[in-house]
Amino acid sequence: MHWDNPVPVVAALIEYQGKIVLARNSQWAEGMFSLVTGYLERNETPEEAVVREVKEELSLDSKAQEFIGCYSLIEKNQIILAHWVVAAGELATGNEITEVKLLSREELKIWQFGRLALTSAIAKKWLEKTTPNE
């Protein structure tokens, strides 16, 4: 029997060198940026998964800081588990990520995510939950 239950996916809102990293997948249109995401794998916690995804996609070492929230992506039958992570190292893109943007907190506040409403909601929630480093 096939239940067609939602698939768990992690999303990493990455803080790197005081900026937020947005990534463009190689399959996406020019100018479309989002968070780094990936499937939760067997025997892996969501915190371990976001750290693994950041390493795989951007070659950065990271540490999960805080759970941002759980979101339903109905059209893809996914449950998104969003985490804030702080990353360090030398950023490098691979086959999946074509381009990155590094945004200040102020730039993130006004970034237009277009049809990526879920990414916008995650960023807004993170902005509300955190305060800038002074």
Side-chain angles (χ1 to χ4, degrees):
M1 177 159 287
H2 179 67
W3 297 102
D4 199 27
N5 293 330
V7 175
V9 172
V10 294
L13 188 141
I14 305 164
E15 188 174 357
Y16 173 68
Q17 297 181 346
K19 304 271 185 165
I20 300 304
V21 179
L22 297 181
R24 184 170 75 83
N25 186 290
S26 62
Q27 304 298 310
W28 293 355
E30 193 80 22
M32 180 181 262
F33 290 86
S34 188
L35 307 177
V36 168
T37 61
Y39 295 110
L40 183 65
E41 295 180 358
R42 181 183 295 275
N43 299 320
E44 184 177 56
T45 68
E47 294 80 7
E48 291 167 340
V50 292
V51 167
R52 176 185 49 75
E53 285 295 333
V54 170
K55 186 68 167 178
E56 288 176 2
E57 303 302 338
L58 300 175
S59 297
L60 295 173
D61 296 315
S62 64
K63 182 176 182 195
Q65 300 296 305
E66 187 174 341
F67 180 65
I68 298 171
C70 180
Y71 301 83
S72 295
L73 187 56
I74 303 287
E75 60 272 15
K76 289 197 169 192
N77 195 30
Q78 296 175 343
I79 296 294
I80 310 297
L81 304 168
H83 288 78
W84 164 34
V85 302
V86 173
E90 188 165 334
L91 191 150
T93 59
N95 295 335
E96 204 169 326
I97 303 298
T98 301
E99 182 182 4
V100 297
K101 294 266 186 208
L102 298 174
L103 303 180
S104 70
R105 202 179 162 83
E106 292 305 312
E107 290 168 322
L108 183 64
K109 284 180 185 178
I110 61 171
W111 184 262
Q112 297 298 310
F113 287 99
R115 66 183 180 93
L116 300 177
L118 185 60
T119 303
S120 181
I122 293 168
K124 181 179 178 184
K125 179 77 173 227
W126 178 79
L127 286 163
E128 290 170 357
K129 289 177 85 166
T130 60
T131 55
N133 294 336
E134 297 181 11

